[in-house]
Amino acid sequence: MSDITPATAPTNFYREIAELMITCLNLEVAADDIGLDDPLYGDGLGLDSIDVLEVALVVSKRYGLQLRADSADNQHIFSSLRNLADHIAAHRTL
Amino acid sequence: MQAIPLLSHTHPDQTVAWRQNQSISARQFLADVAQLATRLPAGKHVLNMCSDRYHFTVGLAAAIVSGKISLLPPAHTAEMISQLKRYAPDVFCLCEQAQPSIALPHILYPTTPAPLTDAYTVPHIACEQRVAVVFTSGSTGTPQPHPKTWGFVINSVRAEAERLGLMCNEKITLIGTVPPQHMYGLESTVLMALHSGNALSDQQPFYPADICQAIAAVPAPRVLISSPVHLRALLDSELQLPPLTLLVSATAPLSTELAAALEARCQAPLLEIYGSTETGLIATRRTALTAEWQLLPGISLIAKGEQMHASSEHINPSIAMQDIIEPTGNSGFLLHGRTADMVNIAGKRNSLANLDHQLMGIPGVIDGAFYMPDETETDRVTRLAAFVVAPGLDAAQLLAALRERIDAVFLPRPLIFMDKLPRNQTGKLPRAALQNLYLNRSAA
């Protein structure tokens, strides 16, 4: 599978994904408070693997895209809002 | 002195594991174990961090045949690693790639399989040999060690394999979504495969699509060993699952509805297993059909004060269970939640006393308390909240300090700063007072 760096998603799509994470995980932050390049894991938003599974499920339903851990860039995808949204924008089928 | 073979496979060509679509024979496994055993350093204690389940199994077996003890902590936080070092100063880490976050001497898993020899001798291990120490979080800030002998763990997994119907002549492959580094995964995905004549899959699939692929990658019959978190994601994903013979779930109770839906989807029975780090597996139930658990043969429950203890020839002295248990006769019982101090988040257990202890240990924290909200949705993960008095700290600083000390699943959401906590005249914090704070904050 060739994984070309996907085109950057439109700005409102970043907000859409931020809202989706907030709703899905009951996070007590505003969408604007999630920096585009802040880490989602650990010191940033503080997500863990249970959250990632939840987000992946909602993403698969809404955008028709199954996330896979064995794709080498899985760590990269969840490293920031920007990377997650770009990945979804590039691979969505819905 | 009684001894039990390292594995129950009687023929050198029998499959012990499936790795990258290839069968690994008992002969290859023993060669890999012998090769790694010669490379292990002198220390007597091993922290086995291998994520490939086959590598983990070889690492565990190599430690056992070398008389070394595998340490299995509940988390790999910086604080836990330093506690491990205090417990066993000679501990070293076995891993597949350098782990810069683990401040221990490392040895890397060999990159090439061991050459095969004609000789085939299965090592026998003395029943009383200590093979592992599994740690729980404890309630005082110091992890509690639970030493496991070879005889204890093998007796436990043989009883489990009998109960799950895996002691047949069919070659079954066990696929686990749970890590081998905790008691459930260690027993049910590693040692049970070695001692039921079956095979394990090297995979530890995470996303639903990964689970489907890991199942499809090994020949039928197949058993999926998992947890409510993964099983619910699998069901919700609506992906087409390859045929399974059996589903197994543990770590937290499943609802009857989810169990029935999974059985219908997979056309296979789902058995839940119940146990603890201290006791290993003690009971099972077919959740879609009954709420009642059935104890394994030889295990009994004894009431001691407020708590029920599990007892058997191997669980001796008896061990207190951290759940509220109602015996129903005929080796059956019902579970009614955890005892007040214990929390279980996605299968990770901790005590509120320990979490409070960790929170209060952070410089700048004057007072603080964790609070476990009532679980409103079954089969979904409920998170902890915490109330804290720490005028000099902000949320990011406090969370960073907590992350050093406790597993991420226990981090509070929300973390609420206060001027003071509603302690009563005796200095206690009644749960009702915390509940009040929590609910009022949600309404605000």
Side-chain angles (χ1 to χ4, degrees), chain B residues 2-7 60-61 64 123-132 148-158 191 194-195 314:
Chain B
Q2 232 196 322
I4 301 175
L6 185 63
L7 71 171
L60 176 76
I64 292 171
H124 279 59
I125 310 300
C127 284
E128 63 266 35
Q129 182 178 326
R130 183 178 289 194
V131 294
K148 304 289 175 188
T149 63
W150 181 241
F152 177 88
V153 289
I154 297 312
N155 177 73
S156 177
V157 299
R158 281 181 179 169
L191 292 171
L194 293 185
H195 281 271
H314 298 269

Side-chain angles (χ1 to χ4, degrees), chain B residues 137-385:
Chain B
S137 304
S139 57
T140 58
T142 309
Q144 288 298 303
H146 305 280
K148 304 289 175 188
T149 63
W150 181 241
F152 177 88
V153 289
I154 297 312
N155 177 73
S156 177
V157 299
R158 281 181 179 169
E160 177 179 4
E162 293 268 1
R163 174 60 67 87
L164 299 181
L166 304 182
M167 290 293 215
C168 52
N169 289 319
E170 275 189 290
K171 291 279 127 211
I172 301 168
T173 302
L174 311 181
I175 302 123
T177 66
V178 290
Q181 281 91 353
H182 297 300
M183 196 59 184
Y184 171 40
L186 176 74
E187 287 198 313
S188 299
T189 70
V190 174
L191 292 171
M192 188 165 69
L194 293 185
H195 281 271
S196 59
N198 291 305
L200 60 92
S201 152
D202 64 327
Q203 297 290 304
Q204 188 181 311
F206 178 69
Y207 292 116
D210 299 328
I211 299 176
C212 291
Q213 199 206 28
I215 298 169
V218 299
R222 305 172 278 223
V223 172
L224 181 66
I225 310 229
S226 192
S227 69
V229 169
H230 284 109
L231 290 175
R232 191 178 64 81
L234 200 55
L235 190 70
D236 285 356
S237 75
E238 293 167 10
L239 290 172
Q240 187 67 42
L241 269 167
L244 290 165
T245 307
L246 173 71
L247 290 115
V248 177
S249 178
T251 67
L254 269 185
S255 67
T256 312
E257 293 74 22
L258 182 54
L262 283 159
E263 287 203 355
R265 168 78 72 83
C266 299
Q267 294 294 303
L270 183 154
L271 290 178
E272 253 191 296
I273 69 181
Y274 171 70
S276 68
T277 298
E278 296 88 327
T279 58
L281 164 70
I282 67 163
T284 61
R285 69 175 175 183
R286 176 97 181 262
T287 314
L289 304 183
T290 178
E292 191 178 43
W293 296 88
Q294 285 296 318
L295 288 167
L296 290 187
I299 297 181
S300 53
L301 291 171
I302 308 161
K304 288 191 179 176
E306 298 272 289
Q307 272 179 317
M308 294 301 290
H309 284 231
S311 165
S312 75
E313 185 194 338
H314 298 269
I315 306 171
N316 183 14
S318 68
I319 293 171
M321 302 304 295
Q322 304 293 338
D323 297 284
I324 299 163
I325 291 176
E326 177 197 341
T328 51
N330 286 331
S331 15
F333 65 89
L334 295 170
L335 279 182
H336 298 292
R338 297 168 301 278
T339 51
D341 184 51
M342 293 303 293
V343 293
N344 178 344
I345 299 183
K348 298 195 176 181
R349 280 165 184 268
N350 214 319
S351 76
L352 287 171
N354 177 56
L355 292 168
D356 289 347
H357 187 95
Q358 299 292 348
L359 177 61
M360 302 281 271
I362 295 170
V365 172
I366 294 167
D367 199 0
F370 274 85
Y371 168 73
M372 186 69 197
D374 293 331
E375 286 165 24
T376 48
E377 283 179 276
T378 45
D379 304 319
R380 294 190 81 97
V381 175
T382 302
R383 302 289 189 151
L384 288 159

